[in-house]
Amino acid sequence: MKPISYGRQFISPEDLQAVVETLQSDFLTQGPMVKAFEEAFARYVDAQYAVAVTNGTDALHLCTLALGVKPGQKVITTPITFVASANAVLYQGGSVDFVDIDPLSYTIDLDKLESKLDSAPQGTYSGVIPVDFAGYPVDVERLRQMAKRHNLWILEDACHAPGGYFTDSNGTAQKCGNGAYADLHIFSFHPVKHIATGEGGMVTTNDKALYDKLKLLSSHGITKSPELLTENHGGWYYEMQDLGYNYRLSDINCALGLSQLKRADWGLARRQQIAERYQKAFEGQPGIILPFVSKNVHHAYHLFVIQTEQRKELYDYLRAHQIFAQVHYIPVHLQPYYKTLGWKKGDFPISEAYYDKALSLPMYPTLSNEEQDYVIDKVKEFISK
Ligand SMILES: *Cc1c(COP(=O)(O)O)cnc(C)c1O
């Protein structure tokens, strides 16, 4: 059995062809593949607008920039996420606050968030960054009601959840990234994510003004649109109207992403099958806590996280058998850098207890049944020792 990682990309012959065609075309960047990928991705998540960017982290930063995060502002996120979700606030000089996770969904606890918001003076917080952790869609409908009362923006980190959705109170399926309840959504195309472009990311929104801002700020704050120019000296003329960055994704990456997107439904269905097989295999197994899935949620399974008391021993045991499970995530507030900002152990007990037991088992569309059975056998072997 060859080594099995917790996640990995799948590059098809069609993907290779798409990349080669772009390499042989006139545009390696700022060409037609960018727009094609943006439009196809927007359609995939049911959003009106999408902006392709260099990676998920830059997608987050571009959003906090466009939302006008600045020193003195406070933004809330979850401790159980990749550090980038929180760092995006710090990049802009804002401060990060956390709300503990819900022990079942492992996403931000909306009851706790509500009481935190209700007990703080109006205006204390500027926005919230919920994370669809492991692929579990956050109830952004409920979050929007809180956001309205407290005048917050919502930036959904949907890196784990392209294709996932929850059913809202009207019985309508609301896809992660669709712009219905959140102001902005971001995705990553790192190779372990659902769609791989090497490095890559996307922002989606239904807000035209925010979309225009994202576009401008993702390319130096420079525009060439005649209707936006304050002067016009001729065909060469452009204006830098705001301080932006170069967060553009190349046509090479976009061609790969567009090709990968064609298999997204297949990949998601495969992830769900793999999750079902794990659920069946470990159901009733003492010592293992399995992921919870509510009836109104279509889980996107970026990760399949189990919890067990002997997490470190199981991790080492699997490693010794060439199975490279992972831990997602070390709570952000316990990272040394965040500790220097005043956070400490004990601040978010549910997240910390989760972290002590969590282990992500291999989960990716090309994991074969045979490989998965090997993983299942090794986990069971360890548990029964
Ligand atoms: C992967 C990821 C990011 C960052 O994406 P990059 O493309 O690696 O910069 C941000 N948030 C979450 C939840 C992620 O999983």
Side-chain angles (χ1 to χ4, degrees):
M1 191 71 61
K2 60 179 189 320
I4 301 173
S5 60
Y6 85 88
R8 66 164 294 137
Q9 76 278 13
F10 167 44
I11 303 296
S12 73
E14 292 77 21
D15 293 347
L16 294 177
Q17 185 60 31
V19 169
V20 168
E21 276 172 21
T22 298
L23 285 170
Q24 290 168 331
S25 78
D26 290 337
F27 292 95
L28 298 189
T29 192
Q30 295 180 278
M33 296 316 295
V34 179
K35 191 157 184 272
F37 185 36
E38 288 174 341
E39 287 178 358
F41 193 86
R43 269 199 305 281
Y44 181 66
V45 301
D46 290 343
Q48 287 178 39
Y49 308 103
V51 180
V53 292
T54 29
N55 55 57
T57 303
D58 292 342
L60 284 159
H61 182 210
L62 184 63
C63 289
T64 56
L65 179 69
L67 291 162
V69 174
K70 57 179 190 287
Q73 290 193 348
K74 279 188 173 178
V75 175
I76 298 174
T77 191
T78 162
I80 299 299
T81 185
F82 185 54
V83 291
S85 317
N87 292 349
V89 177
L90 303 185
Y91 291 158
Q92 286 298 111
S95 359
V96 177
D97 203 344
F98 298 96
V99 165
D100 213 343
I101 57 166
D102 168 79
L104 289 179
S105 69
Y106 313 145
T107 60
I108 193 166
D109 187 324
L110 295 181
D111 292 328
K112 287 202 174 113
L113 175 62
E114 188 157 38
S115 36
K116 187 184 185 77
L117 292 171
D118 287 345
S119 60
Q122 187 69 277
T124 303
Y125 298 100
S126 308
V128 56
I129 306 179
V131 179
D132 302 321
F133 176 73
Y136 196 108
V138 169
D139 182 353
V140 279
E141 180 187 27
R142 180 168 170 210
L143 193 52
R144 173 51 70 191
Q145 290 159 4
M146 293 180 211
K148 265 188 200 145
R149 280 206 315 280
H150 295 278
N151 196 24
L152 309 175
W153 46 255
I154 302 171
L155 161 54
E156 181 182 23
D157 182 336
C159 284
H160 296 184
Y165 59 81
F166 73 98
T167 308
D168 73 6
S169 57
N170 298 318
T172 308
Q174 299 288 352
K175 277 199 175 177
C176 298
N178 74 356
Y181 295 110
D183 299 278
L184 294 164
H185 311 256
I186 70 101
F187 297 87
S188 162
F189 307 127
H190 181 279
V192 297
K193 308 289 162 75
H194 290 55
I195 292 164
T197 67
E199 297 285 350
M202 194 75 82
V203 185
T204 61
T205 185
N206 283 352
D207 184 322
K208 175 72 163 66
L210 273 175
Y211 168 73
D212 289 339
K213 220 169 190 177
L214 294 167
K215 268 282 174 203
L216 189 75
L217 293 169
S218 67
S219 194
H220 311 281
I222 283 176
T223 184
K224 280 189 98 168
S225 298
E227 70 278 12
L228 295 177
L229 297 174
T230 59
E231 298 172 34
N232 199 340
H233 305 173
W236 67 89
Y237 189 73
Y238 60 84
E239 285 179 352
M240 180 190 138
Q241 299 183 335
D242 204 340
L243 183 61
Y245 294 79
N246 179 354
Y247 283 166
R248 297 187 308 259
L249 191 60
S250 82
D251 278 55
I252 307 164
N253 300 90
C254 288
L256 181 53
L258 187 61
S259 180
Q260 294 244 326
L261 189 58
K262 293 178 185 149
R263 289 198 306 278
D265 285 334
W266 166 82
L268 184 54
R270 230 349 249 154
R271 284 173 185 274
Q272 282 160 347
Q273 279 169 3
I274 291 167
E276 246 170 67
R277 292 184 91 244
Y278 276 138
Q279 290 275 5
K280 277 215 183 82
F282 297 133
E283 213 157 42
Q285 185 87 37
I288 293 185
I289 299 172
L290 289 165
F292 163 82
V293 186
S294 152
K295 276 193 302 294
N296 70 337
V297 151
H298 192 73
H299 199 301
Y301 289 109
H302 164 56
L303 303 172
F304 191 90
V305 180
I306 61 167
Q307 288 188 74
T308 174
E309 294 289 340
Q310 292 177 287
R311 190 271 312 277
K312 181 166 189 311
E313 292 78 7
L314 176 57
Y315 171 89
D316 290 337
Y317 186 79
L318 293 177
R319 244 184 118 88
H321 291 90
Q322 298 289 297
I323 298 164
F324 296 90
Q326 246 312 347
V327 175
H328 299 91
Y329 289 97
I330 303 157
V332 177
H333 70 285
L334 298 182
Q335 292 291 351
Y337 185 83
Y338 277 85
K339 283 187 182 165
T340 68
L341 302 178
W343 303 103
K344 58 185 189 311
K345 199 159 175 142
D347 284 343
F348 303 103
I350 312 283
S351 296
E352 293 168 23
Y354 160 86
Y355 166 62
D356 288 342
K357 294 187 218 146
L359 192 66
S360 306
L361 297 181
M363 168 57 85
Y364 50 91
T366 52
L367 180 73
S368 69
N369 287 351
E370 190 195 6
E371 287 169 322
Q372 190 185 6
D373 289 342
Y374 173 74
V375 174
I376 290 166
D377 286 349
K378 290 298 159 199
V379 172
K380 284 187 168 169
E381 208 173 275
F382 172 83
I383 297 283
S384 64
K385 277 204 310 169

